[in-house]
Amino acid sequence: KQEVTQIPAALSVPEGENLVLNCSFTDSAIYNLQWFRQDPGKGLTSLLLIQSSQREQTSGRLNASLDKSSGRSTLYIAASQPGDSATYLCAVRTNYGQNFVFGPGTRLSVLP
Amino acid sequence: EAGVAQSPRYKIIEKRQSVAFWCNPISGHATLYWYQQILGQGPKLLIQFQNNGVVDDSQLPKDRFSAERLKGVDSTLKIQPAKLEDSAVYLCASSLEFGKRNTEAFFGQGTRLTVV
């Protein structure tokens, strides 16, 4: 059974810092991995989707990497801004299932 | 392109009452998911549809939860009777095509249920 963990559970940084969020999964037989952002009281917004054959994906100040063999993904946020404050969730889609298995999320606060 | 629509946004009910949530996926998306997100946790899959057929409902508490997807488009999720532990956000998501597992999932705003 696929299990997904995220470290740290919460993170507080000053504006302008670069930061890394970590996601680990137990079963490396994945089809893809998706990073989401969730604002308080809102749904999930897709940030990046990495296929199992890819090593990384970039969108603006965001860069996500994937190392299937070690069961890890990282989300790198450059030059953080207060508007980046949210909960970040990673989710993996396994080879044997069709749905996404989510981690518990990292709650990020970027202080002005 | 319109996103995934859910209603209502908020619902407060007493325990043992019934409640229903509605979801309209992105047009053309064959796969529809219902997730339950308890405060402080990641979403957990309740049920997955491919068109109007159920793909996975292994984590759906079938003694009180039911879901249907009529004509392979809109879907409703029902809880009857509700328990205090059902308080959560219920998220609906859709993706383009079953079998193409590299497609993204898009989520609605969710329905926040409070059972008192």
Side-chain angles (χ1 to χ4, degrees):
Chain A
K1 177 185 173 185
Q2 179 75 269
E3 293 183 1
V4 181
T5 56
Q6 292 185 246
I7 295 174
L11 180 63
S12 185
V13 300
E15 181 177 4
E17 273 203 5
N18 303 324
L19 59 99
V20 175
L21 307 181
N22 297 290
C23 172
S24 298
F25 45 94
T26 56
D27 187 343
S28 61
I30 68 170
Y31 251 75
N32 58 44
L33 183 147
Q34 195 166 349
W35 281 93
F36 294 89
R37 169 187 172 136
Q38 186 172 34
D39 294 284
K42 299 291 182 65
L44 277 64
T45 301
S46 177
L47 297 175
L48 290 164
L49 173 70
I50 309 180
Q51 309 299 344
S52 60
S53 58
Q54 296 176 317
R55 296 284 293 184
E56 64 179 280
Q57 278 280 16
T58 298
S59 175
R61 295 183 293 110
L62 305 180
N63 177 275
S65 67
L66 174 64
D67 184 343
K68 267 200 332 177
S69 60
S70 66
R72 293 181 181 180
S73 176
T74 62
L75 179 66
Y76 175 82
I77 303 177
S80 59
Q81 303 171 357
D84 295 330
S85 298
T87 296
Y88 291 81
L89 296 149
C90 73
V92 299
R93 176 171 267 173
T94 58
N95 280 343
Y96 49 83
Q98 295 292 324
N99 65 81
F100 289 91
V101 178
F102 280 84
T106 293
R107 190 172 67 254
L108 173 66
S109 296
V110 181
L111 306 175
Chain B
E1 176 179 83
V4 177
Q6 290 188 245
S7 66
R9 287 296 313 279
Y10 306 94
K11 192 74 176 179
I12 300 174
I13 62 172
E14 295 182 349
K15 59 184 180 183
R16 292 187 290 273
Q17 284 187 326
S18 63
V19 64
F21 313 128
W22 174 83
C23 173
N24 179 237
I26 294 173
S27 177
H29 279 197
T31 305
L32 184 147
Y33 313 82
W34 282 102
Y35 282 84
Q36 179 192 57
Q37 186 177 25
I38 293 172
L39 188 64
Q41 299 180 17
K44 182 188 79 171
L45 180 75
L46 292 175
I47 189 167
Q48 177 183 349
F49 292 95
Q50 172 68 16
N51 294 311
N52 60 352
V54 176
V55 174
D56 184 353
D57 63 357
S58 57
Q59 299 185 85
L60 186 74
K62 298 180 184 64
D63 58 334
R64 297 183 302 105
F65 286 66
S66 65
E68 60 181 5
R69 190 180 184 195
L70 299 175
K71 300 180 182 178
V73 182
D74 293 4
S75 177
T76 56
L77 176 69
K78 297 179 181 178
I79 307 175
Q80 181 180 14
K83 293 185 176 181
L84 296 176
E85 58 260 37
D86 297 331
S87 295
V89 176
Y90 291 84
L91 295 163
C92 179
S94 68
S95 62
L96 187 58
E97 189 175 333
F98 183 85
K100 286 192 175 181
R101 300 180 186 182
N102 60 352
T103 57
E104 287 183 74
F106 296 89
F107 281 76
Q109 296 275 49
T111 296
R112 181 177 297 277
L113 174 67
T114 302
V115 182
V116 298

